[in-house]
Amino acid sequence: MPPHLLILGGTTEARELAAALAADSAVRVTTSLAGRVTRPAPLTGDTRTGGFGGPEGLSDWLRAHHVDALIDATHPFARQITTNALQAARQANIPALVLRRPAWHPTPDDDWHPVPSLTAAAATLPSLGPRVLLTTGRLGLSAFAALEDLHFLVRSVEPPAPPLPPHTELLLTRGPFTLSDELNLLRTHRIDVLVTKNSGGDATAPKLTAARQLGLPVVIVERPPLPEDAVTVPDVGGALDWLGALGMGSL
């Protein structure tokens, strides 16, 4: 049997990595999804869905399924999953890599308001405008529930968990979105301020360009720090190089 790679997925990079390795007989790939999205984007190769039961459960799974290496390609804000993955890999005595796309950085023409959390974002909003485009995902929106004087357009792949602000309009859709899409959305809904997480990547970056062109402020939640011992690469090419250095894969 070829060496077995476990990818902790849910991101564009995870799908691209699995697809890049699909035709490579020198490595066997399993991609794991947390299961928070009921209709995930299509994936190439073997998949599993659901949690592992913390680092101990993941470590047991790695041993039971003879996994030789682990790549955490989860969302930049999935801090607990990353921490658990690195701990489990140490316990199972296998190499682990964090594939993390670079963060966004403002240009001189941007009006960014960096904050450390959704709670801090909610506290910042009343001074910036009454109509808010909220693109932080479907979890944690209770942080905004007390803002009764603001109108929220919440964009999410799936319905967000309550409680929500009293004046909320839902827009259930999946990106990527073009610059034209984002400009039209901001203008049509008369948006005054954008709230997003610093997820990085190209798929959702046009909303930042659209806000810049329209002169809108952006409240941006900064990423949690990675564990100090994390070995990281910024893209799929870097992950393939890492696997090659381990003797896994022939790409």
Side-chain angles (χ1 to χ4, degrees):
M1 290 288 288
H4 188 189
L5 169 68
L6 176 66
I7 300 173
L8 302 182
T11 60
T12 300
E13 290 80 12
R15 292 194 298 275
E16 291 176 350
L17 179 59
L21 292 169
D24 189 354
S25 60
V27 62
R28 180 165 60 101
V29 178
T30 300
T31 300
S32 177
L33 301 175
R36 292 178 178 174
V37 176
T38 59
R39 295 179 292 106
L43 269 167
T44 304
D46 295 336
T47 61
R48 70 169 299 280
T49 301
F52 292 94
E56 290 75 18
L58 176 54
S59 178
D60 290 343
W61 196 95
L62 295 172
R63 293 189 184 97
H65 291 82
H66 307 289
V67 174
D68 299 286
L70 181 152
I71 294 181
D72 169 34
T74 55
H75 193 275
F77 283 79
R79 181 180 185 180
Q80 192 60 56
I81 295 176
T82 299
T83 300
N84 289 351
L86 296 180
Q87 182 178 338
R90 286 194 298 271
Q91 293 175 358
N93 195 30
I94 64 170
L97 178 74
V98 178
L99 169 52
R100 193 68 86 240
R101 69 180 80 119
W104 293 316
H105 297 283
T107 74
D109 295 325
D110 283 307
D111 180 14
W112 281 18
H113 299 256
V115 293
S117 66
L118 292 177
T119 300
T124 303
L125 282 177
S127 64
L128 296 177
R131 298 184 64 83
V132 182
L133 173 60
L134 193 56
T135 64
T136 56
R138 70 182 186 89
L139 301 177
L141 300 193
S142 59
F144 303 91
L147 297 176
E148 299 180 352
D149 295 331
L150 303 184
H151 176 90
F152 288 84
L153 177 64
V154 175
R155 185 168 70 187
S156 178
V157 175
E158 297 193 348
L164 302 176
H167 305 294
T168 294
E169 179 181 354
L170 296 181
L171 179 60
L172 301 181
T173 184
R174 187 194 300 271
F177 306 102
T178 67
L179 177 57
S180 177
D181 293 333
E182 301 293 49
L183 287 169
N184 182 63
L185 181 70
L186 294 172
R187 288 169 173 149
T188 300
H189 291 272
R190 307 190 313 280
I191 297 299
D192 299 301
V193 54
L194 167 67
V195 182
T196 192
K197 292 178 176 179
N198 196 336
S199 302
D202 297 330
T204 58
K207 63 188 172 187
L208 300 173
T209 304
R212 182 189 313 129
Q213 290 187 6
L214 297 177
L216 301 182
V218 177
V219 178
I220 190 158
V221 182
E222 298 288 13
R223 296 179 177 191
L226 284 167
E228 292 184 0
D229 60 342
V231 177
T232 65
V233 294
D235 52 33
V236 171
L240 293 174
D241 289 342
W242 181 80
L243 289 170
L246 295 177
M248 295 179 63
S250 57
L251 298 175

CSV table of all heavy atoms in Angstrom, one decimal, residues 115-152:
chain,number,residue,atom,x,y,z
A,115,VAL,N,-10.2,44.3,14.2
A,115,VAL,CA,-10.7,44.0,15.6
A,115,VAL,C,-10.3,42.5,15.9
A,115,VAL,O,-10.1,41.7,15.0
A,115,VAL,CB,-12.2,44.2,15.7
A,115,VAL,CG1,-12.6,45.6,15.5
A,115,VAL,CG2,-12.9,43.3,14.6
A,116,PRO,N,-10.2,42.2,17.2
A,116,PRO,CA,-9.7,40.8,17.5
A,116,PRO,C,-10.8,39.8,17.6
A,116,PRO,O,-10.5,38.6,17.7
A,116,PRO,CB,-9.1,41.0,18.9
A,116,PRO,CG,-9.9,42.2,19.5
A,116,PRO,CD,-10.2,43.1,18.3
A,117,SER,N,-12.1,40.2,17.5
A,117,SER,CA,-13.2,39.2,17.7
A,117,SER,C,-14.5,39.8,17.1
A,117,SER,O,-14.6,41.0,16.8
A,117,SER,CB,-13.4,39.0,19.2
A,117,SER,OG,-13.9,40.2,19.8
A,118,LEU,N,-15.5,38.9,17.0
A,118,LEU,CA,-16.8,39.3,16.5
A,118,LEU,C,-17.5,40.3,17.5
A,118,LEU,O,-18.2,41.2,17.2
A,118,LEU,CB,-17.7,38.1,16.3
A,118,LEU,CG,-17.3,37.2,15.2
A,118,LEU,CD1,-18.3,36.0,15.1
A,118,LEU,CD2,-17.4,37.9,13.8
A,119,THR,N,-17.2,40.1,18.8
A,119,THR,CA,-17.7,41.0,19.8
A,119,THR,C,-17.2,42.4,19.7
A,119,THR,O,-17.9,43.4,19.8
A,119,THR,CB,-17.4,40.4,21.2
A,119,THR,OG1,-18.0,39.1,21.4
A,119,THR,CG2,-17.9,41.4,22.3
A,120,ALA,N,-15.9,42.5,19.4
A,120,ALA,CA,-15.3,43.8,19.1
A,120,ALA,C,-15.8,44.4,17.9
A,120,ALA,O,-16.0,45.6,17.8
A,120,ALA,CB,-13.8,43.6,19.1
A,121,ALA,N,-16.1,43.6,16.8
A,121,ALA,CA,-16.7,44.1,15.6
A,121,ALA,C,-18.0,44.7,15.9
A,121,ALA,O,-18.4,45.8,15.4
A,121,ALA,CB,-16.8,43.0,14.6
A,122,ALA,N,-18.9,44.0,16.7
A,122,ALA,CA,-20.2,44.6,17.0
A,122,ALA,C,-20.1,45.9,17.7
A,122,ALA,O,-20.9,46.8,17.5
A,122,ALA,CB,-20.9,43.5,17.8
A,123,ALA,N,-19.1,46.0,18.6
A,123,ALA,CA,-19.0,47.3,19.3
A,123,ALA,C,-18.5,48.4,18.4
A,123,ALA,O,-18.8,49.6,18.7
A,123,ALA,CB,-17.9,47.1,20.5
A,124,THR,N,-17.9,48.1,17.3
A,124,THR,CA,-17.3,49.1,16.4
A,124,THR,C,-18.4,49.6,15.5
A,124,THR,O,-18.3,50.8,15.0
A,124,THR,CB,-16.2,48.5,15.6
A,124,THR,OG1,-15.2,48.1,16.5
A,124,THR,CG2,-15.5,49.6,14.7
A,125,LEU,N,-19.4,48.8,15.2
A,125,LEU,CA,-20.3,49.1,14.1
A,125,LEU,C,-21.2,50.4,14.2
A,125,LEU,O,-21.4,51.1,13.3
A,125,LEU,CB,-21.3,47.9,13.8
A,125,LEU,CG,-20.6,46.8,13.1
A,125,LEU,CD1,-21.6,45.6,12.9
A,125,LEU,CD2,-20.2,47.2,11.7
A,126,PRO,N,-21.7,50.7,15.4
A,126,PRO,CA,-22.7,51.8,15.5
A,126,PRO,C,-22.1,53.1,15.0
A,126,PRO,O,-22.9,54.0,14.6
A,126,PRO,CB,-23.0,51.8,17.0
A,126,PRO,CG,-22.9,50.4,17.4
A,126,PRO,CD,-21.7,49.9,16.7
A,127,SER,N,-20.8,53.3,15.1
A,127,SER,CA,-20.2,54.6,14.7
A,127,SER,C,-19.9,54.6,13.2
A,127,SER,O,-19.5,55.7,12.7
A,127,SER,CB,-18.9,54.8,15.4
A,127,SER,OG,-18.0,53.8,15.1
A,128,LEU,N,-20.2,53.5,12.4
A,128,LEU,CA,-19.8,53.5,11.0
A,128,LEU,C,-20.9,53.5,10.0
A,128,LEU,O,-20.7,53.7,8.9
A,128,LEU,CB,-18.9,52.2,10.8
A,128,LEU,CG,-17.6,52.1,11.6
A,128,LEU,CD1,-16.9,50.8,11.3
A,128,LEU,CD2,-16.7,53.3,11.2
A,129,GLY,N,-22.1,53.3,10.5
A,129,GLY,CA,-23.2,53.3,9.5
A,129,GLY,C,-24.3,52.3,9.9
A,129,GLY,O,-24.1,51.3,10.5
A,130,PRO,N,-25.6,52.6,9.4
A,130,PRO,CA,-26.7,51.8,9.8
A,130,PRO,C,-26.9,50.5,9.0
A,130,PRO,O,-27.7,49.6,9.5
A,130,PRO,CB,-27.9,52.7,9.7
A,130,PRO,CG,-27.5,53.6,8.5
A,130,PRO,CD,-26.0,53.8,8.7
A,131,ARG,N,-26.4,50.4,7.8
A,131,ARG,CA,-26.6,49.2,7.0
A,131,ARG,C,-25.4,48.4,6.8
A,131,ARG,O,-24.4,48.9,6.2
A,131,ARG,CB,-27.2,49.6,5.6
A,131,ARG,CG,-28.6,50.4,5.8
A,131,ARG,CD,-29.2,50.7,4.4
A,131,ARG,NE,-29.6,49.5,3.7
A,131,ARG,CZ,-30.7,48.8,3.9
A,131,ARG,NH1,-31.6,49.2,4.8
A,131,ARG,NH2,-30.9,47.7,3.1
A,132,VAL,N,-25.4,47.2,7.2
A,132,VAL,CA,-24.2,46.3,7.4
A,132,VAL,C,-24.3,45.1,6.5
A,132,VAL,O,-25.3,44.4,6.5
A,132,VAL,CB,-24.0,45.9,8.8
A,132,VAL,CG1,-22.7,45.1,9.0
A,132,VAL,CG2,-24.0,47.1,9.8
A,133,LEU,N,-23.2,44.8,5.7
A,133,LEU,CA,-23.1,43.5,5.1
A,133,LEU,C,-22.2,42.7,6.0
A,133,LEU,O,-21.0,43.0,6.2
A,133,LEU,CB,-22.5,43.7,3.7
A,133,LEU,CG,-22.1,42.4,3.0
A,133,LEU,CD1,-23.3,41.5,2.8
A,133,LEU,CD2,-21.4,42.6,1.6
A,134,LEU,N,-22.7,41.6,6.5
A,134,LEU,CA,-22.0,40.7,7.4
A,134,LEU,C,-21.7,39.4,6.7
A,134,LEU,O,-22.5,38.7,6.2
A,134,LEU,CB,-22.9,40.4,8.6
A,134,LEU,CG,-22.3,39.8,9.8
A,134,LEU,CD1,-21.2,40.6,10.4
A,134,LEU,CD2,-23.4,39.7,10.9
A,135,THR,N,-20.3,39.2,6.5
A,135,THR,CA,-19.9,38.0,5.8
A,135,THR,C,-18.9,37.2,6.6
A,135,THR,O,-17.8,36.8,6.1
A,135,THR,CB,-19.2,38.4,4.4
A,135,THR,OG1,-18.0,39.2,4.7
A,135,THR,CG2,-20.1,39.2,3.6
A,136,THR,N,-19.2,36.9,7.9
A,136,THR,CA,-18.3,36.3,8.8
A,136,THR,C,-18.7,34.8,9.0
A,136,THR,O,-18.1,34.1,9.8
A,136,THR,CB,-18.3,37.0,10.1
A,136,THR,OG1,-19.7,37.0,10.7
A,136,THR,CG2,-17.8,38.4,10.0
A,137,GLY,N,-19.6,34.3,8.2
A,137,GLY,CA,-20.0,32.9,8.3
A,137,GLY,C,-21.3,32.8,9.2
A,137,GLY,O,-21.8,33.8,9.7
A,138,ARG,N,-21.7,31.5,9.4
A,138,ARG,CA,-23.0,31.4,10.0
A,138,ARG,C,-22.9,31.2,11.5
A,138,ARG,O,-24.0,31.2,12.2
A,138,ARG,CB,-23.7,30.1,9.4
A,138,ARG,CG,-23.1,28.8,9.8
A,138,ARG,CD,-23.9,27.7,9.1
A,138,ARG,NE,-23.4,26.4,9.5
A,138,ARG,CZ,-23.9,25.7,10.5
A,138,ARG,NH1,-24.9,26.2,11.2
A,138,ARG,NH2,-23.4,24.5,10.8
A,139,LEU,N,-21.7,31.1,12.1
A,139,LEU,CA,-21.6,30.9,13.5
A,139,LEU,C,-21.1,32.2,14.2
A,139,LEU,O,-20.4,33.0,13.6
A,139,LEU,CB,-20.5,29.8,13.8
A,139,LEU,CG,-20.8,28.4,13.2
A,139,LEU,CD1,-19.7,27.5,13.5
A,139,LEU,CD2,-22.1,27.9,13.7
A,140,GLY,N,-21.6,32.4,15.4
A,140,GLY,CA,-21.1,33.5,16.2
A,140,GLY,C,-21.9,34.8,16.0
A,140,GLY,O,-21.5,35.8,16.5
A,141,LEU,N,-23.0,34.7,15.3
A,141,LEU,CA,-23.7,36.0,15.0
A,141,LEU,C,-24.5,36.5,16.1
A,141,LEU,O,-25.0,37.6,16.1
A,141,LEU,CB,-24.6,35.8,13.7
A,141,LEU,CG,-23.9,35.4,12.5
A,141,LEU,CD1,-24.8,35.5,11.3
A,141,LEU,CD2,-22.6,36.2,12.2
A,142,SER,N,-24.5,35.7,17.2
A,142,SER,CA,-25.2,36.3,18.4
A,142,SER,C,-24.5,37.5,19.0
A,142,SER,O,-25.0,38.3,19.7
A,142,SER,CB,-25.2,35.2,19.5
A,142,SER,OG,-23.9,34.7,19.8
A,143,ALA,N,-23.2,37.7,18.6
A,143,ALA,CA,-22.4,38.9,19.0
A,143,ALA,C,-23.1,40.1,18.5
A,143,ALA,O,-22.9,41.2,19.1
A,143,ALA,CB,-21.0,38.8,18.5
A,144,PHE,N,-23.9,40.1,17.5
A,144,PHE,CA,-24.5,41.3,16.9
A,144,PHE,C,-26.0,41.4,17.3
A,144,PHE,O,-26.7,42.3,16.8
A,144,PHE,CB,-24.4,41.2,15.4
A,144,PHE,CG,-23.0,41.1,14.9
A,144,PHE,CD1,-22.4,39.9,14.6
A,144,PHE,CD2,-22.2,42.2,14.6
A,144,PHE,CE1,-21.1,39.7,14.2
A,144,PHE,CE2,-20.9,42.1,14.2
A,144,PHE,CZ,-20.3,40.9,14.0
A,145,ALA,N,-26.5,40.4,18.0
A,145,ALA,CA,-28.0,40.3,18.3
A,145,ALA,C,-28.5,41.5,19.0
A,145,ALA,O,-29.7,41.8,18.9
A,145,ALA,CB,-28.3,39.1,19.0
A,146,ALA,N,-27.7,42.2,19.8
A,146,ALA,CA,-28.2,43.4,20.6
A,146,ALA,C,-28.3,44.7,19.8
A,146,ALA,O,-28.7,45.7,20.3
A,146,ALA,CB,-27.4,43.5,21.8
A,147,LEU,N,-27.8,44.7,18.5
A,147,LEU,CA,-27.7,45.9,17.7
A,147,LEU,C,-29.1,46.1,17.1
A,147,LEU,O,-29.2,45.9,15.9
A,147,LEU,CB,-26.6,45.8,16.7
A,147,LEU,CG,-25.2,45.7,17.4
A,147,LEU,CD1,-24.1,45.5,16.3
A,147,LEU,CD2,-24.9,46.9,18.2
A,148,GLU,N,-30.0,46.7,17.8
A,148,GLU,CA,-31.4,46.8,17.3
A,148,GLU,C,-31.6,47.9,16.3
A,148,GLU,O,-32.6,48.0,15.6
A,148,GLU,CB,-32.3,47.0,18.5
A,148,GLU,CG,-32.3,45.8,19.5
A,148,GLU,CD,-33.2,46.0,20.7
A,148,GLU,OE1,-33.8,47.1,20.8
A,148,GLU,OE2,-33.4,45.0,21.4
A,149,ASP,N,-30.6,48.9,16.3
A,149,ASP,CA,-30.8,50.1,15.4
A,149,ASP,C,-30.1,49.9,14.1
A,149,ASP,O,-30.2,50.8,13.2
A,149,ASP,CB,-30.2,51.3,16.1
A,149,ASP,CG,-31.0,51.7,17.4
A,149,ASP,OD1,-32.2,51.4,17.4
A,149,ASP,OD2,-30.4,52.2,18.3
A,150,LEU,N,-29.5,48.8,13.8
A,150,LEU,CA,-28.8,48.5,12.6
A,150,LEU,C,-29.5,47.5,11.7
A,150,LEU,O,-30.2,46.6,12.3
A,150,LEU,CB,-27.4,48.0,12.8
A,150,LEU,CG,-26.5,48.9,13.7
A,150,LEU,CD1,-25.0,48.3,13.8
A,150,LEU,CD2,-26.4,50.4,13.2
A,151,HIS,N,-29.4,47.6,10.4
A,151,HIS,CA,-29.9,46.6,9.5
A,151,HIS,C,-28.8,45.8,8.9
A,151,HIS,O,-27.8,46.3,8.4
A,151,HIS,CB,-30.7,47.3,8.3
A,151,HIS,CG,-31.2,46.4,7.3
A,151,HIS,ND1,-32.4,45.8,7.4
A,151,HIS,CD2,-30.6,45.8,6.2
A,151,HIS,CE1,-32.6,45.0,6.4
A,151,HIS,NE2,-31.5,45.0,5.6
A,152,PHE,N,-29.0,44.4,9.0
A,152,PHE,CA,-27.9,43.5,8.6
A,152,PHE,C,-28.3,42.7,7.4
A,152,PHE,O,-29.4,42.2,7.3
A,152,PHE,CB,-27.6,42.5,9.7
A,152,PHE,CG,-26.8,43.2,10.9
A,152,PHE,CD1,-27.5,43.8,11.9
A,152,PHE,CD2,-25.5,43.1,10.9
A,152,PHE,CE1,-26.8,44.4,13.0
A,152,PHE,CE2,-24.8,43.7,12.0
A,152,PHE,CZ,-25.5,44.3,13.0
